Amino acid sequence: MPTLRFDGQAVTTQDGETVLEALLRHGLAVPHGCRSGICQSCLLKAREGHIPAPAQAGLKPALAEQDYLLACRCVPDEDMVLEIPSAGTLRTPAEIAAIEPLGGEVIRLVLTPEAALDYRPGQYVTLWRDEQLGRSYSLASLPDEGQSLEFHVRVIPGGQFSGWLAGEARPGDRLEVQEAAGSCVYTPALRDANLLLVGTGTGLAPLWGIVREALRQGHRGQIRVMHGAVECDGLYLHEALKRLAAQHDNLHYHASVLRPEGCSAVDERPLDELVVETIGDFSDWHSYLCGAPELVNQLRRRIFLAGARMDAICADAFLPTAPAKT
Amino acid sequence: MTTLYERLGGEAAIDKAVDIFYRKVLTDDRINGFFDDVDMERQANKQKAFLTMVFGGPNQYTGQDMREGHKHLVARGLDDSHVDAVIEHLGSTLKELGAADEDIAQVAGIANSVRDDVLNR
């Protein structure tokens, strides 16, 4: 019978037993719910071993491609190494290659990791300045452009991490990069779909990765990128996105600015109105929403009510760091 | 005898039903307050499990699960009128999907059978 490795323990399965049953039988803590492959509470990631097809039925393609599986539907046919998805803790040392202003409060951080990082555009990583101080940022680079990692960091005055980056940090300084996570990624299955990419502030970073990845893969459906900022200088990729849109017939770029004095080529409607009025019927759209939690959650609901399928909305709300406990 | 779950088209049909049903629930002011502070994706997965159950598909929900899952909502005032609204939306969802009246009645029956567990009585 196949043996499972999970949480530092080895578990031998019994005939016909699922991964979930085997782990629970050994008293291991695995989140679970319906035990029928529907609620997806028992999502695990396979580090090694073949995943039987029924264990991925109903999963988003992005999760299936990253070797996620449903423990309650997985009857293993060979040995497997499994983990709870959020448990990614492998860290890669990296060196700061560049820190430069991008516009407004946003800086571009470029890192050179010691070993190539396994990631997909749209995912995020946690950067560690030391053992205790880590912050999550979305990747704006593409793995196919080389080993360098690019991030867009909003500098928060007095921020322990972003303040350090903007002030003291210098090229050559070292950080650690934790494994990439997140399921808001582009997959080849979406090539003919219409893509709506909506971001506020540095919520644009993962979208900058996704839009370039989609174009690189020869995306055939429409793509609309909508970026919201408080003032014009917050539209930190305004020119780059306008240029990219000019080069691709199926790409359109819209910018929304809360205080539009002195801006050029921006929409004066608030971002959510711009999104809803531009698209209208969302039933043919696949949406990625990144940035401020209130806007992301509100838009997710509006887009769903305006006809989008639930599984065609990918939301990535950027949560502020909780204040340190004293 | 086939179940309604199979007659409707199995899992693919449930995905469609969840989208229709959840839209109805979210736009109904009688009950959408109970859904305001939940993660939409997790909520949709739970609704999928619920619809699978009432359509007679594979599920292993127990009365205990239903009690635990709704305890915090009962504390916030969940009562029979809200369960009635949910069953009403179930019926109109099924109608949109082309289900027969007998099937709709059967689904309402299954949903009613867990009413006391949901309301923690």
Side-chain angles (χ1 to χ4, degrees), chain A residues 88-198:
Chain A
T89 50
L90 291 177
R91 296 186 193 176
T92 307
E95 197 177 281
I96 295 179
I99 304 174
E100 56 201 30
L102 261 180
E105 301 162 321
V106 182
I107 56 175
R108 183 201 310 269
L109 169 68
V110 182
L111 298 181
T112 311
E114 276 180 12
L117 183 76
D118 182 16
Y119 75 97
R120 308 186 55 196
Q123 289 194 301
Y124 58 88
V125 296
T126 300
L127 302 180
W128 293 89
R129 193 180 141 189
D130 55 40
E131 232 4 84
Q132 269 77 46
L133 186 60
R135 293 287 184 272
S136 298
Y137 294 102
S138 290
L139 288 144
S141 44
L142 304 186
D144 287 291
E145 289 176 338
Q147 213 161 304
S148 294
L149 307 175
E150 178 182 325
F151 304 90
H152 303 160
V153 179
R154 180 163 78 94
V155 178
I156 297 166
Q160 283 186 295
F161 196 96
S162 63
W164 168 74
L165 273 181
E168 302 135 66
R170 293 287 174 268
D173 286 354
R174 298 178 71 76
L175 291 169
E176 283 191 321
V177 183
Q178 192 168 317
E179 285 177 284
S183 58
C184 288
V185 300
Y186 182 80
T187 76
L190 293 171
R191 188 172 301 168
D192 291 304
N194 293 326
L195 304 185
L196 172 65
L197 312 178
V198 183

Side-chain angles (χ1 to χ4, degrees), chain B residues 1 3 8 15 34 42 46 60 63 69 82 85 98 103 107 111 116:
Chain B
M1 200 188 101
T3 62
L8 284 173
D15 282 335
F34 292 109
R42 272 178 45 206
K46 283 186 189 161
Q60 296 180 29
H82 306 117
D103 284 331
V107 165
D116 285 348

